[in-house]
C-alpha cells in the first residue's frame, strides 16, 4: 500500500510529491523549500525523481539527497540543467543518475517508468506509477507546458502532444503546478494546442 502527499513549493507553487511506503518514500520534484515538507512527512526517502530540469522542480535536490542519502534520477537530456547557479542548491548534476525513455525504476516493489515528452525541455518526461502520470510541466489541467523558454522547442512539443494521444485515458495526471486531472479530460484539447503552436 502507498499514499501520495503533495505540497506546492516556492514562488511558482511547484508541486512536490511524496509517494509514501512503509519501507521508504519516493520524492518527485523537490522544489524550493521542499526539504522542510519532506522532513515533516518522511522518516526515510529511498529515491528522488525529477520530471525535468527546470530549477523550480529541482531546487532542493541536493538538500534532500544529503539529508536522506537518497539517489537522484533525472531525464538524461536534462542533466545539463542541474548546474550550480552559485547558491549551491542546484549543483546536483554530478550526483544525478541519468534516466532514459521508457526506463523502469523499482523501489520497494513500486515501479516508476519514465516516458520522454520533449518540448518544454529536451528531457521533459512523464513518470508513470500505478494508474497515475506525474506529468511535470508537460500537461496540466486544461493547459500544457510553455515551449518558448531557453532549451524549449515548439516542434518537439507538437510531436509530444501527438505521442500523448496514446496515454491511457483512465489514468490521472498529477502535474507540476495546479490541480490533478485525468487524461480523458485533457486529450480532447490536444489538437487545439497543436494547431495553436503551429500558428505561433
Amino acid at each position: 500500500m502507498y499514499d501520495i502527499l503533495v505540497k506546492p513549493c516556492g514562488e511558482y507553487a511547484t508541486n512536490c510529491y511524496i509517494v509514501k511506503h512503509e519501507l521508504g518514500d519516493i520524492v518527485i520534484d523537490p522544489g524550493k523549500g521542499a526539504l522542510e515538507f519532506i522532513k515533516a512527512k518522511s522518516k526515510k526517502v529511498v529515491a528522488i525523481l525529477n520530471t525535468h530540469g527546470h530549477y523550480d522542480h529541482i531546487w532542493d535536490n541536493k538538500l534532500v539527497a544529503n539529508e536522506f542519502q537518497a539517489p537522484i534520477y533525472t531525464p538524461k537530456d536534462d542533466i545539463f540543467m542541474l548546474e550550480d547557479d552559485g547558491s549551491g542548491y542546484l549543483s546536483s548534476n554530478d550526483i544525478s543518475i541519468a534516466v532514459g525513455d521508457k526506463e523502469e525504476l523499482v523501489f520497494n516493489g513500486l515501479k516508476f517508468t519514465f516516458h520522454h515528452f520533449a518540448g518544454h525541455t529536451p528531457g521533459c518526461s512523464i513518470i508513470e506509477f500505478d494508474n497515475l502520470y506525474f506529468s511535470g510541466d508537460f500537461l496540466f489541467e486544461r493547459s500544457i507546458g510553455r515551449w518558448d523558454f531557453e532549451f524549449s522547442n515548439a516542434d518537439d512539443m507538437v510531436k509530444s502532444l501527438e505521442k500523448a494521444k496514446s496515454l491511457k485515458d483512465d489514468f490521472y495526471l498529477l502535474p507540476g503546478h495546479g490541480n490533478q486531472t485525468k487524461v480523458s479530460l485533457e486529450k480532447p484539447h490536444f489538437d487545439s494546442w497543436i494547431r495553436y503552436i503551429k500558428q505561433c
Side-chain angles (χ1 to χ4, degrees):
M1 293 293 293
Y2 66 86
D3 194 13
I4 295 179
L5 307 179
V6 59
K7 181 178 180 181
C9 295
E11 55 265 42
Y12 296 107
T14 303
N15 288 331
C16 174
Y17 295 95
I18 302 174
V19 180
K20 290 197 63 64
H21 187 274
E22 61 183 358
L23 297 178
D25 304 334
I26 295 88
V27 170
I28 298 173
D29 286 355
K32 190 174 184 179
L35 177 62
E36 182 178 353
F37 163 59
I38 296 164
K39 286 172 64 177
K41 301 297 183 181
S42 295
K43 300 297 183 185
K44 180 181 181 182
V45 173
V46 296
I48 301 157
L49 311 183
N50 297 148
T51 59
H52 66 294
H54 276 154
Y55 72 93
D56 59 314
H57 291 256
I58 57 93
W59 187 275
D60 275 12
N61 260 4
K62 192 171 184 179
L63 294 178
V64 179
N66 289 341
E67 178 73 24
F68 293 96
Q69 297 303 299
I72 303 165
Y73 297 86
T74 304
K76 63 181 181 63
D77 292 330
D78 278 6
I79 287 283
F80 76 97
M81 302 179 76
L82 279 60
E83 296 287 347
D84 186 359
D85 67 345
S87 69
Y89 290 98
L90 304 187
S91 58
S92 56
N93 62 330
D94 57 332
I95 58 173
S96 291
I97 300 166
V99 183
D101 184 30
K102 296 183 174 60
E103 187 167 340
E104 297 179 355
L105 304 173
V106 180
F107 311 102
N108 302 330
L110 303 178
K111 183 173 72 174
F112 297 80
T113 306
F114 280 67
H115 299 282
H116 188 210
F117 289 94
H120 183 66
T121 65
C124 192
S125 296
I126 279 178
I127 302 172
E128 178 181 350
F129 167 67
D130 200 5
N131 67 333
L132 308 171
Y133 291 126
F134 294 96
S135 57
D137 281 6
F138 174 44
L139 298 175
F140 305 106
E141 182 183 32
R142 303 301 185 274
S143 189
I144 63 172
R146 289 177 60 172
W147 58 92
D148 59 337
F149 289 139
E150 185 179 13
F151 308 122
S152 297
N153 186 290
D155 291 338
D156 285 345
M157 181 63 83
V158 168
K159 292 174 184 176
S160 288
L161 286 169
E162 293 285 2
K163 178 182 172 183
K165 293 178 181 179
S166 66
L167 292 173
K168 298 170 185 176
D169 285 346
D170 59 336
F171 272 43
Y172 289 91
L173 289 172
L174 277 61
H177 306 269
N179 301 319
Q180 79 170 38
T181 181
K182 205 167 185 181
V183 173
S184 60
L185 298 176
E186 305 309 322
K187 272 189 183 180
H189 306 285
F190 288 177
D191 283 334
S192 295
W193 282 113
I194 290 169
R195 288 193 295 270
Y196 180 76
I197 294 170
K198 288 181 176 180
Q199 292 170 0
C200 290

